[in-house]
Amino acid sequence: VGGTLSFADGVLSVVWDDANNYPDYDIFISEDGGEMRYHGTSSVHNYEIRSSATVSIDVVIQVANYKKVISEILEIYSGSIDLSLI
């Protein structure tokens, strides 16, 4: 499964593919090397996150689960963006 991350004006945009078209996706983020945390749920294949990160942002997208914890089995997409390169 593919996806892209972009960052502009303090907003991270995440877009991902999913041939199975699950009804909902959980989004987890880590800013500047911090702990990965649940951020929200999306029913579409994109999500925007306002961020004050200055170094990096890591993202995991997975099939929505009531537990709101990261599970490799449920993962759809993961990526990171190095903000020093922007």
Side-chain angles (χ1 to χ4, degrees):
V1 174
T4 60
L5 298 174
S6 59
F7 188 80
D9 298 323
V11 176
L12 174 74
S13 177
V14 186
V15 178
W16 62 93
D17 300 325
D18 175 24
N20 294 316
N21 278 325
Y22 291 103
D24 293 305
Y25 304 90
D26 287 339
I27 294 87
F28 296 84
I29 66 165
S30 168
E31 297 173 292
D32 295 335
E35 183 178 334
M36 189 67 73
R37 63 182 172 82
Y38 170 75
H39 191 275
T41 299
S42 176
S43 60
V44 295
H45 295 194
N46 59 62
Y47 194 76
E48 289 189 343
I49 302 163
R50 180 152 297 282
S51 175
S52 59
T54 58
V55 178
S56 64
I57 303 173
D58 299 304
V59 177
V60 172
I61 308 297
Q62 69 180 33
V63 176
N65 181 341
Y66 71 94
K67 291 184 178 182
K68 305 304 180 209
V69 296
I70 293 177
S71 169
E72 287 184 27
I73 293 172
L74 299 175
E75 187 176 301
I76 297 291
Y77 170 75
S78 67
S80 61
I81 189 164
D82 182 345
L83 301 177
S84 69
L85 301 176
I86 296 177

